């Protein structure tokens, strides 16, 4: 990415992670969620292990953001969606599929992804925090928005609804907009650091779906 580039920074990051990105948004497991046929037990058990780390990462974004309005946007999403709606979904869905909130074994990709969240949280580098948040949310919007007919069972249907629709699109738009705002002000090393984290997160999303598919 050059100083003169007109490509939005978030799109430059996405294009730099293209193979893994497309593999996530078109993944067979995501398609199975859309058709209501995915076995969600192991997937949700492992995904629930991110809730605490993801909540802490959002808190770090509030602390590290360079603007009040950004803090408000992140704080609102944290309070209304993650701490309320999403947490409630996990408990109901895990009960429905016979899953556990504390499985005996964590998959290697779960551990690695949680470690990445903790790493950028501790670093308090706002663009790096945004990179992980953006991958986690934008890839999910990518596959969920491809689904044209919602399945009947609430476990699949509500998971799709949590990651699609106008409100979630606006949240992803905010994350992308923050990256687009900050990217041009980073030097070459700074942009490279963000790209490395973005690529790591995207590769981990792909591996997580691979794990869920079995």
């Amino acid at each position: 990415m050059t100083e003169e580039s007109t490509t939005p920074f978030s799109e430059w990051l996405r294009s730099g992670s293209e193979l893994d990105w497309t593999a996530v948004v078109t993944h067979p497991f995501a398609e199975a969620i859309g058709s209501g046929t995915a076995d969600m037990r192991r997937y949700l058990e492992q995904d629930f292990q991110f809730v605490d780390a993801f909540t802490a990462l959002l808190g770090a974004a509030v602390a590290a953001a360079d603007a009040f309005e950004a803090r408000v946007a992140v704080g609102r999403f944290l309070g209304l969606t993650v701490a309320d709606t999403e947490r409630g979904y996990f408990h109901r869905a895990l009960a429905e599929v016979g899953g556990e909130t504390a499985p005996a074994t964590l998959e290697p990709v779960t551990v690695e992804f949680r470690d990445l969240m903790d790493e950028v949280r501790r670093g308090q580098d706002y663009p790096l925090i945004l990179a992980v948040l953006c991958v986690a949310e934008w890839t999910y919007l990518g596959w969920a928005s491809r689904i044209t007919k919602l399945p009947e069972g609430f476990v699949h249907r509500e998971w799709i609804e949590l990651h699609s629709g106008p409100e979630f699109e606006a949240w992803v738009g905010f994350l992308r907009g923050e990256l687009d705002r900050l990217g041009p002000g980073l030097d070459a090393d700074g942009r490279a650091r963000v790209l490395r984290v973005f690529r790591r997160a995207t590769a981990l999303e792909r591996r997580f779906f691979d794990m869920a598919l079995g």
Side-chain angles (χ1 to χ4, degrees):
M1 186 175 188
T2 65
E3 295 288 340
E4 296 77 23
S5 175
T6 59
T7 302
F9 187 53
S10 62
E11 180 58 31
W12 177 75
L13 294 169
R14 189 207 62 77
S15 65
S17 311
E18 175 56 40
L19 293 179
D20 284 329
W21 187 277
T22 297
V24 174
V25 301
T26 63
H27 201 281
F29 190 80
E31 293 179 352
I33 295 175
S35 65
T37 60
D39 182 349
M40 298 289 278
R41 179 174 176 171
R42 182 169 63 155
Y43 171 75
L44 289 177
E45 284 181 336
Q46 296 296 313
D47 201 282
F48 185 71
Q49 308 316 304
F50 299 133
V51 171
D52 183 60
F54 193 74
T55 300
L57 188 59
L58 288 166
V62 172
D66 62 340
F68 174 72
E69 291 303 325
R71 300 184 203 276
V72 170
V74 177
R76 182 183 297 116
F77 182 81
L78 171 57
L80 296 180
T81 303
V82 176
D84 186 4
T85 307
E86 191 164 304
R87 184 181 62 174
Y89 165 81
F90 269 113
H91 286 287
R92 288 185 296 110
L94 284 168
E96 178 70 15
V97 301
E100 301 177 0
T101 57
T105 303
L106 295 185
E107 298 290 341
V109 65
T110 305
V111 175
E112 289 181 47
F113 211 158
R114 198 164 64 178
D115 286 349
L116 175 59
M117 292 181 190
D118 289 341
E119 176 187 321
V120 297
R121 172 183 57 80
R122 290 191 299 267
Q124 289 290 300
D125 187 317
Y126 187 45
L128 297 185
I129 293 170
L130 287 170
V132 176
L133 292 174
C134 195
V135 169
E137 306 290 52
W138 192 8
T139 55
Y140 269 51
L141 176 63
W143 67 257
S145 62
R146 289 165 53 87
I147 297 166
T148 57
K149 183 179 180 181
L150 292 175
E152 293 184 5
F154 88 86
V155 173
H156 298 93
R157 184 187 70 251
E158 290 188 21
W159 191 240
I160 297 164
E161 290 173 337
L162 277 169
H163 298 100
S164 59
E167 290 186 5
F168 193 71
E169 290 173 2
W171 166 239
V172 173
F174 162 78
L175 294 173
R176 291 188 60 188
E178 286 293 273
L179 284 170
D180 294 342
R181 176 175 69 85
L182 296 170
L186 300 174
D187 60 19
D189 287 342
R191 291 193 294 270
R193 285 194 300 272
V194 177
L195 180 59
R196 283 195 297 271
V197 167
F198 197 95
R199 284 174 168 166
R200 283 175 62 192
T202 307
L204 286 166
E205 289 287 4
R206 180 180 186 174
R207 287 177 51 202
F208 194 78
F209 269 178
D210 288 345
M211 175 276 300
L213 189 63

